[in-house]
């Protein structure tokens, strides 16, 4: 393009920032929307995992309607972020096409006067247009690659944050050794109260817990299960 007509090439270059600046703005918007969308997706995954794995509890307490009503409230912020991401992504291509819609008529007006004054032939002008269109397609692809890069950067922001954070230090260089668990733990006539003048929470408790055994403590509220 510079070899054919450096003046027309500079004229095209003057219009280029009018498209590059909005593309950069949309790219930053894509990055922020992607980062927030991934955060929302993590929250949705957590809610779905809790609902699916706790389906027995949901059924036991008859909370199916509550979970169904909760789903739209959880999906709405995620859908809004995805819509914003799509709007920013699809706006880049029309902006790039706008460059051609603005530049080509200006070039035609400029070339018309040059051809009339015999300073340029129609063949040279067509050669310049051919070179310009061949440069336009890679430039358009660069805008798409820039969008994908911004999307990936926003989606992986949390990953880079975790990789860049300092590793957790060990609290102690030597970990204390844990003594082997005895075959059983036994309570024989154990009583307990929180104060000298307080009521006795546990009275004459007898319990034998063997190693590897699972024991359930069942009782009404305030019966002393936590104690």
């Amino acid at each position: 393009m510079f070899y054919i007509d450096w003046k027309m090439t500079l004229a095209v270059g003057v219009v280029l920032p009018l498209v590059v600046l909005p593309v950069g703005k949309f790219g930053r918007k894509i990055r922020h929307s992607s980062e927030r969308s991934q955060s929302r997706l993590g929250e949705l995954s957590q809610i779905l995992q809790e609902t699916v794995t706790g389906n027995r509890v949901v059924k036991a307490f008859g909370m199916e309607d509550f979970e169904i009503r909760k789903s739209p409230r959880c999906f709405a912020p995620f859908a809004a972020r995805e819509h914003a991401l799509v709007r920013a992504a699809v706006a880049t291509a029309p902006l790039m096409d706008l460059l051609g819609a603005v530049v080509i008529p200006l070039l035609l007006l400029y070339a018309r006067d040059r051809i009339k004054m015999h300073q340029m032939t129609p063949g040279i002008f067509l050669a310049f247009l051919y070179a310009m269109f061949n440069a336009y397609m890679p430039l358009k692809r660069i805008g798409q690659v820039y969008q994908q890069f911004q999307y990936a950067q926003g989606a992986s922001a949390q990953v880079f944050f975790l990789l860049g954070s300092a590793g957790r230090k060990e609290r102690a260089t030597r970990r204390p050794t844990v003594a082997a668990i005895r075959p059983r733990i036994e309570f024989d006539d154990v009583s307990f109260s929180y104060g000298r003048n307080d009521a006795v929470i546990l009275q004459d408790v007898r319990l034998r817990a063997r190693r590897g055994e699972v024991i359930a403590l069942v009782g009404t509220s305030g019966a002393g299960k936590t104690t």
Side-chain angles (χ1 to χ4, degrees):
M1 290 170 62
F2 272 102
Y3 177 77
I4 295 173
D5 194 309
W6 63 272
K7 293 182 179 180
M8 286 196 300
T9 304
L10 292 179
V12 173
V14 170
V15 184
L16 188 62
L18 300 178
V19 178
V20 173
L21 293 178
V23 168
K25 182 179 180 180
F26 281 119
R28 290 189 296 270
K29 188 175 181 179
I30 289 174
R31 182 181 62 193
H32 295 314
S33 298
S34 174
E35 183 176 352
R36 295 173 183 175
S37 179
Q38 291 297 318
S39 299
R40 293 292 185 181
L41 183 60
E43 296 174 2
L44 280 178
S45 300
Q46 179 182 356
I47 293 173
L48 291 175
Q49 190 268 343
E50 292 177 352
T51 304
V52 173
T53 56
N55 65 86
R56 293 184 177 180
V57 178
V58 173
K59 289 181 177 292
F61 286 91
M63 300 294 290
E64 292 91 347
D65 293 337
F66 173 79
E67 295 295 336
I68 292 174
R69 291 193 302 268
K70 185 176 68 174
S71 298
R73 295 197 302 267
C74 299
F75 279 93
F78 175 72
R81 292 299 175 189
E82 285 295 313
H83 291 163
L85 181 62
V86 171
R87 284 195 297 267
V90 300
T92 303
L95 281 176
M96 299 295 292
D97 295 334
L98 182 64
L99 174 64
V102 172
V103 170
I104 292 178
L106 296 178
L107 289 178
L108 289 174
L109 293 176
Y110 175 76
R112 181 193 62 180
D113 297 335
R114 296 285 302 277
I115 293 172
K116 284 183 177 180
M117 293 184 294
H118 301 286
Q119 297 177 353
M120 176 186 293
T121 63
I124 292 178
F125 178 67
L126 291 177
F128 180 85
L129 287 181
Y130 179 76
M132 186 185 70
F133 279 117
N134 282 341
Y136 168 75
M137 296 307 297
L139 185 64
K140 190 174 181 179
R141 285 195 294 268
I142 288 176
Q144 296 173 354
V145 171
Y146 177 73
Q147 280 188 351
Q148 297 174 0
F149 174 75
Q150 292 296 328
Y151 178 82
Q153 189 175 10
S156 58
Q158 189 68 17
V159 176
F160 287 118
F161 172 76
L162 294 176
L163 291 176
S165 61
R168 292 180 297 177
K169 297 181 180 179
E170 295 290 341
R171 293 185 179 181
T173 56
R174 295 182 59 186
R175 297 182 178 180
T177 57
V178 180
I181 300 176
R182 296 180 179 181
R184 68 178 182 271
I185 297 175
E186 187 173 352
F187 293 91
D188 188 11
D189 292 333
V190 175
S191 300
F192 179 82
S193 64
Y194 285 98
R196 180 176 298 179
N197 299 324
D198 294 339
V200 178
I201 304 299
L202 303 177
Q203 187 172 3
D204 298 334
V205 174
R206 295 181 180 181
L207 175 66
R208 179 179 296 175
R210 297 180 179 85
R211 183 170 55 186
E213 187 178 13
V214 178
I215 297 177
L217 301 178
V218 183
T220 59
S221 179
K225 298 187 298 295
T226 304
T227 303

